Amino acid sequence: MLLNKISSFICQKPWGIFLLSSLLIHIFVIWGLDFFKKDISIPFALFVYYVLFFYFGLNGIRQAIAMAIVFFSIRYIVKNNFNKFFLCMFLAFMFHNTAILCTVFYVFRKTNIKLLSNSKRIIYYLSILLTPVLLIYLIQIAIKLPLLSNYSHYISNTSLTINLRFLYFVLPILLPIFLFKSKILKLKSSYESLIDASLLNIPFYYLGYYVDWGSRMALYTNYLYILLIPLTINSLK
């Protein structure tokens, strides 16, 4: 890995990779927060980052860098700039291939066609509500397909029964964000796309019950908390 070679060249110590990776992560996180500095407290946002995510950067280094790059790219969702957003996704993908799935975040950008935007949002909300049922049936169908049957060993929980315990991890943060959604949107209407994207925590967390990498996908949407929690606090002033 290029990052390992660079760190070895700079300091030739085992901790060099932690120094270099932490530097990269902080650059993208702080640079990403700077775009929203008018609406949030950056020190508080960094506090959220250190409490929720800093420790992961000492273990899942490659994905932690990818998560920081994806977080930085949020500005291009707000600005509706797909070319720069996709460039960020490609860069994140170079560190961890799961990052390419975050390209779906751009679907949540605010559209100028109100009817299309409302219809898309209704379908999305219904899909989120039906996540526990839809995922179970999709997994059951997938493992029966000859093309995908060889990947069935990635399913860690074969009982495939509905389990709602994941809501303990999701609701304490998501519920206040949605309760004060109207106040957040008074700061900037384009923040609605970020709030909607944060709902992906529900299917990703739920997928983690059955597939080992499911909870890791939730880390990308969890990163939105770095921005959404300070926005919620600031909207109450």
Side-chain angles (χ1 to χ4, degrees), residues 34-92:
D34 184 68
F35 180 77
F36 302 97
K37 61 185 177 183
K38 291 183 179 179
D39 296 325
I40 64 170
S41 165
I42 290 183
F44 181 67
L46 286 173
F47 172 76
V48 175
Y49 161 73
Y50 284 121
V51 170
L52 297 179
F53 304 108
F54 176 74
Y55 71 94
F56 184 75
L58 301 176
N59 182 23
I61 294 176
R62 291 188 302 113
Q63 186 175 357
I65 296 173
M67 287 158 55
I69 297 172
V70 170
F71 177 75
F72 169 79
S73 73
I74 291 173
R75 63 176 62 200
Y76 300 122
I77 298 176
V78 175
K79 294 168 70 173
N80 209 1
N81 188 327
F82 178 76
N83 290 336
K84 290 184 178 180
F85 175 78
F86 184 77
L87 184 62
C88 288
M89 291 301 99
F90 180 76
L91 179 60

Short mmCIF file of all heavy atoms in Angstrom, two decimals, residues 34-92:
data_model
loop_
_atom_site.label_atom_id
_atom_site.label_comp_id
_atom_site.label_asym_id
_atom_site.label_seq_id
_atom_site.Cartn_x
_atom_site.Cartn_y
_atom_site.Cartn_z
N ASP A 34 -15.30 22.86 7.60
CA ASP A 34 -15.11 24.29 7.31
C ASP A 34 -16.18 24.83 6.37
O ASP A 34 -16.56 26.01 6.47
CB ASP A 34 -13.72 24.51 6.71
CG ASP A 34 -13.41 25.97 6.47
OD1 ASP A 34 -13.27 26.71 7.47
OD2 ASP A 34 -13.33 26.39 5.30
N PHE A 35 -16.68 24.00 5.48
CA PHE A 35 -17.71 24.43 4.53
C PHE A 35 -19.00 24.81 5.26
O PHE A 35 -19.78 25.64 4.77
CB PHE A 35 -17.98 23.31 3.52
CG PHE A 35 -19.03 23.63 2.50
CD1 PHE A 35 -18.75 24.47 1.43
CD2 PHE A 35 -20.31 23.11 2.60
CE1 PHE A 35 -19.72 24.77 0.48
CE2 PHE A 35 -21.28 23.39 1.66
CZ PHE A 35 -20.99 24.23 0.60
N PHE A 36 -19.25 24.23 6.43
CA PHE A 36 -20.50 24.44 7.16
C PHE A 36 -20.31 25.33 8.39
O PHE A 36 -21.18 25.38 9.26
CB PHE A 36 -21.07 23.08 7.60
CG PHE A 36 -21.32 22.13 6.47
CD1 PHE A 36 -20.39 21.16 6.15
CD2 PHE A 36 -22.49 22.20 5.73
CE1 PHE A 36 -20.61 20.27 5.10
CE2 PHE A 36 -22.72 21.33 4.68
CZ PHE A 36 -21.78 20.36 4.36
N LYS A 37 -19.19 26.03 8.48
CA LYS A 37 -18.83 26.75 9.70
C LYS A 37 -19.83 27.84 10.09
O LYS A 37 -19.89 28.23 11.26
CB LYS A 37 -17.43 27.34 9.57
CG LYS A 37 -17.28 28.36 8.44
CD LYS A 37 -15.82 28.79 8.31
CE LYS A 37 -15.63 29.74 7.13
NZ LYS A 37 -14.20 30.11 6.97
N LYS A 38 -20.62 28.33 9.14
CA LYS A 38 -21.61 29.37 9.45
C LYS A 38 -22.79 28.82 10.26
O LYS A 38 -23.46 29.58 10.96
CB LYS A 38 -22.12 30.02 8.17
CG LYS A 38 -21.10 30.86 7.44
CD LYS A 38 -21.71 31.53 6.22
CE LYS A 38 -20.68 32.40 5.50
NZ LYS A 38 -21.25 33.05 4.28
N ASP A 39 -23.03 27.51 10.15
CA ASP A 39 -24.21 26.92 10.77
C ASP A 39 -23.91 25.98 11.92
O ASP A 39 -24.83 25.46 12.55
CB ASP A 39 -25.03 26.16 9.71
CG ASP A 39 -25.59 27.10 8.65
OD1 ASP A 39 -25.94 28.24 8.98
OD2 ASP A 39 -25.68 26.67 7.48
N ILE A 40 -22.62 25.72 12.19
CA ILE A 40 -22.28 24.78 13.26
C ILE A 40 -21.12 25.32 14.09
O ILE A 40 -20.42 26.24 13.66
CB ILE A 40 -21.89 23.39 12.72
CG1 ILE A 40 -20.61 23.48 11.88
CG2 ILE A 40 -23.02 22.76 11.92
CD1 ILE A 40 -20.01 22.14 11.51
N SER A 41 -20.93 24.72 15.24
CA SER A 41 -19.73 24.97 16.05
C SER A 41 -18.71 23.90 15.69
O SER A 41 -18.92 22.71 15.96
CB SER A 41 -20.07 24.90 17.54
OG SER A 41 -18.90 24.79 18.31
N ILE A 42 -17.63 24.30 15.06
CA ILE A 42 -16.62 23.32 14.63
C ILE A 42 -15.98 22.61 15.84
O ILE A 42 -15.78 21.39 15.78
CB ILE A 42 -15.55 24.00 13.75
CG1 ILE A 42 -16.17 24.36 12.39
CG2 ILE A 42 -14.35 23.07 13.54
CD1 ILE A 42 -15.21 24.96 11.39
N PRO A 43 -15.67 23.30 16.94
CA PRO A 43 -15.15 22.57 18.11
C PRO A 43 -16.12 21.49 18.60
O PRO A 43 -15.68 20.38 18.95
CB PRO A 43 -14.96 23.68 19.16
CG PRO A 43 -14.72 24.90 18.36
CD PRO A 43 -15.61 24.76 17.16
N PHE A 44 -17.41 21.80 18.62
CA PHE A 44 -18.38 20.79 19.06
C PHE A 44 -18.46 19.64 18.06
O PHE A 44 -18.57 18.47 18.45
CB PHE A 44 -19.76 21.41 19.25
CG PHE A 44 -20.80 20.43 19.73
CD1 PHE A 44 -20.71 19.88 21.00
CD2 PHE A 44 -21.84 20.05 18.90
CE1 PHE A 44 -21.66 18.96 21.44
CE2 PHE A 44 -22.79 19.14 19.33
CZ PHE A 44 -22.69 18.60 20.61
N ALA A 45 -18.40 19.96 16.77
CA ALA A 45 -18.43 18.92 15.73
C ALA A 45 -17.21 18.00 15.87
O ALA A 45 -17.33 16.77 15.71
CB ALA A 45 -18.46 19.56 14.34
N LEU A 46 -16.06 18.57 16.18
CA LEU A 46 -14.86 17.76 16.39
C LEU A 46 -14.99 16.90 17.65
O LEU A 46 -14.49 15.78 17.68
CB LEU A 46 -13.63 18.66 16.49
CG LEU A 46 -13.16 19.27 15.17
CD1 LEU A 46 -12.03 20.27 15.41
CD2 LEU A 46 -12.69 18.18 14.20
N PHE A 47 -15.66 17.43 18.66
CA PHE A 47 -15.93 16.64 19.86
C PHE A 47 -16.74 15.41 19.51
O PHE A 47 -16.45 14.30 19.98
CB PHE A 47 -16.67 17.49 20.89
CG PHE A 47 -17.15 16.72 22.09
CD1 PHE A 47 -16.27 16.33 23.08
CD2 PHE A 47 -18.49 16.37 22.21
CE1 PHE A 47 -16.71 15.61 24.19
CE2 PHE A 47 -18.94 15.65 23.30
CZ PHE A 47 -18.06 15.27 24.29
N VAL A 48 -17.77 15.58 18.67
CA VAL A 48 -18.60 14.44 18.22
C VAL A 48 -17.73 13.44 17.47
O VAL A 48 -17.84 12.23 17.67
CB VAL A 48 -19.76 14.93 17.31
CG1 VAL A 48 -20.53 13.74 16.74
CG2 VAL A 48 -20.70 15.84 18.09
N TYR A 49 -16.84 13.95 16.61
CA TYR A 49 -15.94 13.07 15.86
C TYR A 49 -15.05 12.26 16.79
O TYR A 49 -14.91 11.04 16.64
CB TYR A 49 -15.09 13.90 14.90
CG TYR A 49 -13.85 13.17 14.43
CD1 TYR A 49 -13.95 12.12 13.51
CD2 TYR A 49 -12.60 13.49 14.94
CE1 TYR A 49 -12.82 11.42 13.11
CE2 TYR A 49 -11.47 12.81 14.53
CZ TYR A 49 -11.58 11.78 13.62
OH TYR A 49 -10.47 11.08 13.23
N TYR A 50 -14.44 12.93 17.77
CA TYR A 50 -13.51 12.22 18.66
C TYR A 50 -14.23 11.18 19.52
O TYR A 50 -13.69 10.10 19.78
CB TYR A 50 -12.78 13.22 19.55
CG TYR A 50 -11.69 13.97 18.83
CD1 TYR A 50 -11.71 15.36 18.75
CD2 TYR A 50 -10.64 13.30 18.21
CE1 TYR A 50 -10.72 16.06 18.07
CE2 TYR A 50 -9.65 13.98 17.53
CZ TYR A 50 -9.69 15.36 17.46
OH TYR A 50 -8.71 16.04 16.78
N VAL A 51 -15.43 11.49 19.95
CA VAL A 51 -16.20 10.56 20.78
C VAL A 51 -16.64 9.33 19.99
O VAL A 51 -16.56 8.19 20.47
CB VAL A 51 -17.42 11.26 21.41
CG1 VAL A 51 -18.35 10.24 22.08
CG2 VAL A 51 -16.97 12.30 22.43
N LEU A 52 -17.10 9.55 18.75
CA LEU A 52 -17.72 8.47 17.98
C LEU A 52 -16.79 7.75 17.01
O LEU A 52 -16.99 6.55 16.76
CB LEU A 52 -18.92 9.03 17.20
CG LEU A 52 -20.09 9.58 18.02
CD1 LEU A 52 -21.18 10.11 17.08
CD2 LEU A 52 -20.66 8.52 18.94
N PHE A 53 -15.78 8.44 16.48
CA PHE A 53 -15.07 7.86 15.34
C PHE A 53 -13.54 7.80 15.44
O PHE A 53 -12.93 7.04 14.70
CB PHE A 53 -15.43 8.63 14.06
CG PHE A 53 -16.90 8.69 13.79
CD1 PHE A 53 -17.60 9.88 13.96
CD2 PHE A 53 -17.59 7.56 13.38
CE1 PHE A 53 -18.95 9.93 13.72
CE2 PHE A 53 -18.95 7.61 13.14
CZ PHE A 53 -19.64 8.80 13.32
N PHE A 54 -12.94 8.59 16.30
CA PHE A 54 -11.48 8.65 16.32
C PHE A 54 -10.84 7.28 16.55
O PHE A 54 -9.87 6.91 15.90
CB PHE A 54 -11.01 9.64 17.38
CG PHE A 54 -9.51 9.70 17.52
CD1 PHE A 54 -8.74 10.33 16.55
CD2 PHE A 54 -8.87 9.10 18.59
CE1 PHE A 54 -7.36 10.38 16.67
CE2 PHE A 54 -7.49 9.13 18.71
CZ PHE A 54 -6.73 9.78 17.75
N TYR A 55 -11.41 6.52 17.49
CA TYR A 55 -10.83 5.21 17.84
C TYR A 55 -10.79 4.27 16.63
O TYR A 55 -9.88 3.45 16.50
CB TYR A 55 -11.63 4.56 18.97
CG TYR A 55 -13.00 4.08 18.55
CD1 TYR A 55 -13.21 2.78 18.13
CD2 TYR A 55 -14.08 4.96 18.53
CE1 TYR A 55 -14.46 2.34 17.72
CE2 TYR A 55 -15.33 4.53 18.12
CZ TYR A 55 -15.51 3.23 17.72
OH TYR A 55 -16.75 2.82 17.28
N PHE A 56 -11.80 4.38 15.75
CA PHE A 56 -11.85 3.48 14.59
C PHE A 56 -10.68 3.73 13.65
O PHE A 56 -10.19 2.81 12.99
CB PHE A 56 -13.17 3.66 13.84
CG PHE A 56 -13.34 2.72 12.69
CD1 PHE A 56 -13.66 1.38 12.90
CD2 PHE A 56 -13.17 3.16 11.38
CE1 PHE A 56 -13.80 0.50 11.85
CE2 PHE A 56 -13.31 2.27 10.31
CZ PHE A 56 -13.62 0.94 10.55
N GLY A 57 -10.20 4.97 13.59
CA GLY A 57 -9.07 5.30 12.73
C GLY A 57 -7.77 4.67 13.16
O GLY A 57 -6.80 4.65 12.39
N LEU A 58 -7.73 4.13 14.39
CA LEU A 58 -6.52 3.45 14.87
C LEU A 58 -6.54 1.97 14.55
O LEU A 58 -5.54 1.28 14.76
CB LEU A 58 -6.39 3.65 16.39
CG LEU A 58 -6.32 5.10 16.86
CD1 LEU A 58 -6.28 5.15 18.39
CD2 LEU A 58 -5.11 5.81 16.27
N ASN A 59 -7.68 1.49 14.02
CA ASN A 59 -7.82 0.07 13.70
C ASN A 59 -8.15 -0.12 12.22
O ASN A 59 -7.36 -0.68 11.47
CB ASN A 59 -8.91 -0.55 14.58
CG ASN A 59 -9.06 -2.03 14.34
OD1 ASN A 59 -8.15 -2.68 13.86
ND2 ASN A 59 -10.23 -2.56 14.64
N GLY A 60 -9.30 0.38 11.80
CA GLY A 60 -9.69 0.28 10.38
C GLY A 60 -9.16 1.46 9.60
O GLY A 60 -9.95 2.32 9.15
N ILE A 61 -7.85 1.55 9.46
CA ILE A 61 -7.22 2.75 8.92
C ILE A 61 -7.70 3.09 7.52
O ILE A 61 -8.07 4.23 7.23
CB ILE A 61 -5.68 2.59 8.93
CG1 ILE A 61 -5.17 2.53 10.37
CG2 ILE A 61 -5.01 3.74 8.19
CD1 ILE A 61 -3.67 2.28 10.49
N ARG A 62 -7.70 2.11 6.63
CA ARG A 62 -8.08 2.39 5.24
C ARG A 62 -9.52 2.88 5.14
O ARG A 62 -9.81 3.84 4.44
CB ARG A 62 -7.87 1.15 4.36
CG ARG A 62 -6.41 0.77 4.17
CD ARG A 62 -6.25 -0.35 3.14
NE ARG A 62 -6.98 -1.55 3.51
CZ ARG A 62 -8.03 -2.02 2.83
NH1 ARG A 62 -8.48 -1.39 1.77
NH2 ARG A 62 -8.63 -3.14 3.22
N GLN A 63 -10.43 2.20 5.85
CA GLN A 63 -11.82 2.64 5.77
C GLN A 63 -12.02 3.98 6.47
O GLN A 63 -12.83 4.79 6.03
CB GLN A 63 -12.75 1.60 6.39
CG GLN A 63 -14.23 1.98 6.18
CD GLN A 63 -15.20 0.93 6.67
OE1 GLN A 63 -14.80 -0.13 7.12
NE2 GLN A 63 -16.48 1.23 6.56
N ALA A 64 -11.28 4.24 7.54
CA ALA A 64 -11.40 5.51 8.24
C ALA A 64 -11.02 6.68 7.32
O ALA A 64 -11.66 7.73 7.34
CB ALA A 64 -10.52 5.52 9.48
N ILE A 65 -9.98 6.49 6.51
CA ILE A 65 -9.59 7.53 5.54
C ILE A 65 -10.68 7.69 4.50
O ILE A 65 -11.05 8.82 4.14
CB ILE A 65 -8.25 7.18 4.88
CG1 ILE A 65 -7.12 7.16 5.91
CG2 ILE A 65 -7.91 8.18 3.77
CD1 ILE A 65 -5.79 6.66 5.38
N ALA A 66 -11.21 6.56 4.01
CA ALA A 66 -12.29 6.61 3.02
C ALA A 66 -13.51 7.33 3.58
O ALA A 66 -14.15 8.14 2.90
CB ALA A 66 -12.66 5.20 2.58
N MET A 67 -13.84 7.07 4.85
CA MET A 67 -14.98 7.72 5.50
C MET A 67 -14.78 9.23 5.57
O MET A 67 -15.72 10.01 5.34
CB MET A 67 -15.18 7.14 6.91
CG MET A 67 -15.74 5.73 6.91
SD MET A 67 -15.38 4.82 8.45
CE MET A 67 -16.03 5.92 9.68
N ALA A 68 -13.57 9.65 5.89
CA ALA A 68 -13.27 11.09 5.98
C ALA A 68 -13.40 11.76 4.62
O ALA A 68 -13.90 12.89 4.52
CB ALA A 68 -11.87 11.30 6.55
N ILE A 69 -12.97 11.08 3.56
CA ILE A 69 -13.08 11.64 2.21
C ILE A 69 -14.54 11.74 1.79
O ILE A 69 -14.96 12.74 1.20
CB ILE A 69 -12.28 10.78 1.20
CG1 ILE A 69 -10.79 10.81 1.54
CG2 ILE A 69 -12.51 11.27 -0.23
CD1 ILE A 69 -9.94 9.85 0.72
N VAL A 70 -15.32 10.70 2.11
CA VAL A 70 -16.76 10.74 1.81
C VAL A 70 -17.42 11.89 2.56
O VAL A 70 -18.25 12.60 2.01
CB VAL A 70 -17.43 9.40 2.18
CG1 VAL A 70 -18.95 9.51 2.10
CG2 VAL A 70 -16.94 8.28 1.26
N PHE A 71 -17.02 12.09 3.81
CA PHE A 71 -17.56 13.21 4.59
C PHE A 71 -17.23 14.54 3.94
O PHE A 71 -18.08 15.44 3.84
CB PHE A 71 -17.03 13.17 6.02
CG PHE A 71 -17.47 14.32 6.87
CD1 PHE A 71 -18.77 14.37 7.35
CD2 PHE A 71 -16.60 15.36 7.18
CE1 PHE A 71 -19.20 15.44 8.13
CE2 PHE A 71 -17.01 16.42 7.95
CZ PHE A 71 -18.32 16.46 8.43
N PHE A 72 -16.00 14.69 3.48
CA PHE A 72 -15.60 15.92 2.79
C PHE A 72 -16.46 16.17 1.56
O PHE A 72 -16.81 17.31 1.23
CB PHE A 72 -14.13 15.83 2.40
CG PHE A 72 -13.68 16.91 1.45
CD1 PHE A 72 -13.39 18.19 1.92
CD2 PHE A 72 -13.56 16.66 0.09
CE1 PHE A 72 -12.99 19.19 1.05
CE2 PHE A 72 -13.16 17.65 -0.79
CZ PHE A 72 -12.87 18.92 -0.30
N SER A 73 -16.84 15.09 0.86
CA SER A 73 -17.59 15.22 -0.40
C SER A 73 -19.02 15.70 -0.19
O SER A 73 -19.69 16.04 -1.17
CB SER A 73 -17.62 13.87 -1.13
OG SER A 73 -18.49 12.96 -0.47
N ILE A 74 -19.49 15.76 1.05
CA ILE A 74 -20.87 16.20 1.32
C ILE A 74 -21.12 17.59 0.75
O ILE A 74 -22.22 17.91 0.29
CB ILE A 74 -21.15 16.18 2.84
CG1 ILE A 74 -21.21 14.73 3.34
CG2 ILE A 74 -22.46 16.88 3.17
CD1 ILE A 74 -21.32 14.63 4.85
N ARG A 75 -20.10 18.43 0.76
CA ARG A 75 -20.26 19.79 0.24
C ARG A 75 -20.73 19.78 -1.21
O ARG A 75 -21.46 20.68 -1.65
CB ARG A 75 -18.94 20.56 0.33
CG ARG A 75 -17.81 19.98 -0.52
CD ARG A 75 -16.57 20.83 -0.44
NE ARG A 75 -16.05 20.89 0.92
CZ ARG A 75 -15.22 21.84 1.34
NH1 ARG A 75 -14.82 22.79 0.51
NH2 ARG A 75 -14.78 21.83 2.58
N TYR A 76 -20.34 18.76 -1.96
CA TYR A 76 -20.71 18.71 -3.38
C TYR A 76 -22.13 18.17 -3.58
O TYR A 76 -22.71 18.37 -4.65
CB TYR A 76 -19.69 17.88 -4.15
CG TYR A 76 -18.30 18.46 -4.06
CD1 TYR A 76 -17.23 17.73 -3.55
CD2 TYR A 76 -18.07 19.78 -4.46
CE1 TYR A 76 -15.97 18.27 -3.45
CE2 TYR A 76 -16.80 20.34 -4.35
CZ TYR A 76 -15.76 19.59 -3.84
OH TYR A 76 -14.51 20.16 -3.73
N ILE A 77 -22.68 17.52 -2.56
CA ILE A 77 -24.11 17.18 -2.60
C ILE A 77 -24.91 18.45 -2.39
O ILE A 77 -25.88 18.72 -3.11
CB ILE A 77 -24.45 16.13 -1.52
CG1 ILE A 77 -23.69 14.84 -1.74
CG2 ILE A 77 -25.96 15.86 -1.49
CD1 ILE A 77 -23.91 13.78 -0.67
N VAL A 78 -24.51 19.24 -1.40
CA VAL A 78 -25.19 20.51 -1.11
C VAL A 78 -25.08 21.47 -2.30
O VAL A 78 -26.04 22.16 -2.64
CB VAL A 78 -24.59 21.16 0.15
CG1 VAL A 78 -25.20 22.54 0.40
CG2 VAL A 78 -24.81 20.26 1.36
N LYS A 79 -23.91 21.48 -2.96
CA LYS A 79 -23.69 22.38 -4.09
C LYS A 79 -24.17 21.80 -5.42
O LYS A 79 -24.10 22.45 -6.45
CB LYS A 79 -22.20 22.71 -4.20
CG LYS A 79 -21.68 23.51 -3.01
CD LYS A 79 -20.16 23.56 -2.97
CE LYS A 79 -19.59 24.42 -4.07
NZ LYS A 79 -18.12 24.58 -3.91
N ASN A 80 -24.64 20.52 -5.37
CA ASN A 80 -25.17 19.86 -6.57
C ASN A 80 -24.11 19.76 -7.67
O ASN A 80 -24.37 20.04 -8.84
CB ASN A 80 -26.41 20.60 -7.09
CG ASN A 80 -27.37 19.67 -7.80
OD1 ASN A 80 -27.14 18.46 -7.89
ND2 ASN A 80 -28.44 20.21 -8.33
N ASN A 81 -22.92 19.34 -7.29
CA ASN A 81 -21.81 19.22 -8.23
C ASN A 81 -21.39 17.75 -8.31
O ASN A 81 -20.58 17.28 -7.50
CB ASN A 81 -20.64 20.10 -7.77
CG ASN A 81 -19.53 20.19 -8.80
OD1 ASN A 81 -19.26 19.25 -9.53
ND2 ASN A 81 -18.88 21.34 -8.85
N PHE A 82 -21.94 17.03 -9.29
CA PHE A 82 -21.71 15.59 -9.35
C PHE A 82 -20.28 15.25 -9.74
O PHE A 82 -19.71 14.28 -9.23
CB PHE A 82 -22.67 14.93 -10.35
CG PHE A 82 -22.44 13.45 -10.49
CD1 PHE A 82 -22.86 12.57 -9.50
CD2 PHE A 82 -21.77 12.93 -11.60
CE1 PHE A 82 -22.63 11.21 -9.61
CE2 PHE A 82 -21.55 11.57 -11.72
CZ PHE A 82 -21.98 10.71 -10.72
N ASN A 83 -19.67 16.01 -10.64
CA ASN A 83 -18.33 15.68 -11.11
C ASN A 83 -17.31 15.66 -9.96
O ASN A 83 -16.53 14.71 -9.83
CB ASN A 83 -17.89 16.68 -12.18
CG ASN A 83 -18.65 16.52 -13.47
OD1 ASN A 83 -19.17 15.45 -13.77
ND2 ASN A 83 -18.75 17.59 -14.24
N LYS A 84 -17.35 16.68 -9.12
CA LYS A 84 -16.42 16.73 -7.99
C LYS A 84 -16.79 15.70 -6.93
O LYS A 84 -15.91 15.13 -6.28
CB LYS A 84 -16.40 18.14 -7.40
CG LYS A 84 -15.73 19.17 -8.31
CD LYS A 84 -15.64 20.53 -7.65
CE LYS A 84 -14.93 21.51 -8.57
NZ LYS A 84 -14.82 22.86 -7.95
N PHE A 85 -18.09 15.46 -6.77
CA PHE A 85 -18.53 14.44 -5.82
C PHE A 85 -18.02 13.07 -6.25
O PHE A 85 -17.48 12.31 -5.43
CB PHE A 85 -20.06 14.43 -5.74
CG PHE A 85 -20.61 13.32 -4.89
CD1 PHE A 85 -20.59 13.41 -3.51
CD2 PHE A 85 -21.14 12.17 -5.47
CE1 PHE A 85 -21.08 12.38 -2.71
CE2 PHE A 85 -21.63 11.14 -4.69
CZ PHE A 85 -21.60 11.26 -3.30
N PHE A 86 -18.17 12.74 -7.53
CA PHE A 86 -17.72 11.44 -8.03
C PHE A 86 -16.20 11.31 -7.93
O PHE A 86 -15.68 10.22 -7.64
CB PHE A 86 -18.17 11.24 -9.47
CG PHE A 86 -17.83 9.88 -10.02
CD1 PHE A 86 -18.58 8.78 -9.67
CD2 PHE A 86 -16.75 9.70 -10.86
CE1 PHE A 86 -18.27 7.51 -10.15
CE2 PHE A 86 -16.43 8.44 -11.35
CZ PHE A 86 -17.19 7.35 -10.99
N LEU A 87 -15.49 12.40 -8.15
CA LEU A 87 -14.02 12.37 -8.02
C LEU A 87 -13.63 12.01 -6.58
O LEU A 87 -12.70 11.22 -6.36
CB LEU A 87 -13.45 13.73 -8.40
CG LEU A 87 -11.92 13.85 -8.42
CD1 LEU A 87 -11.32 12.89 -9.45
CD2 LEU A 87 -11.48 15.29 -8.72
N CYS A 88 -14.35 12.56 -5.61
CA CYS A 88 -14.10 12.23 -4.20
C CYS A 88 -14.41 10.77 -3.93
O CYS A 88 -13.69 10.09 -3.20
CB CYS A 88 -14.94 13.12 -3.29
SG CYS A 88 -14.39 14.83 -3.21
N MET A 89 -15.51 10.27 -4.52
CA MET A 89 -15.87 8.86 -4.33
C MET A 89 -14.79 7.94 -4.89
O MET A 89 -14.46 6.92 -4.29
CB MET A 89 -17.21 8.56 -5.02
CG MET A 89 -18.44 9.21 -4.40
SD MET A 89 -18.70 8.73 -2.67
CE MET A 89 -18.00 10.16 -1.86
N PHE A 90 -14.24 8.32 -6.03
CA PHE A 90 -13.18 7.51 -6.64
C PHE A 90 -11.93 7.50 -5.75
O PHE A 90 -11.30 6.46 -5.55
CB PHE A 90 -12.83 8.05 -8.03
CG PHE A 90 -11.74 7.26 -8.72
CD1 PHE A 90 -12.01 6.02 -9.29
CD2 PHE A 90 -10.45 7.77 -8.79
CE1 PHE A 90 -11.00 5.29 -9.91
CE2 PHE A 90 -9.44 7.05 -9.42
CZ PHE A 90 -9.73 5.81 -9.98
N LEU A 91 -11.60 8.68 -5.18
CA LEU A 91 -10.45 8.76 -4.29
C LEU A 91 -10.67 7.91 -3.04
O LEU A 91 -9.76 7.19 -2.60
CB LEU A 91 -10.20 10.22 -3.90
CG LEU A 91 -9.03 10.49 -2.95
CD1 LEU A 91 -7.71 10.02 -3.57
CD2 LEU A 91 -8.95 11.97 -2.60
N ALA A 92 -11.88 7.98 -2.48
CA ALA A 92 -12.20 7.17 -1.30
C ALA A 92 -12.15 5.68 -1.64
O ALA A 92 -11.68 4.86 -0.83
CB ALA A 92 -13.59 7.55 -0.77
#
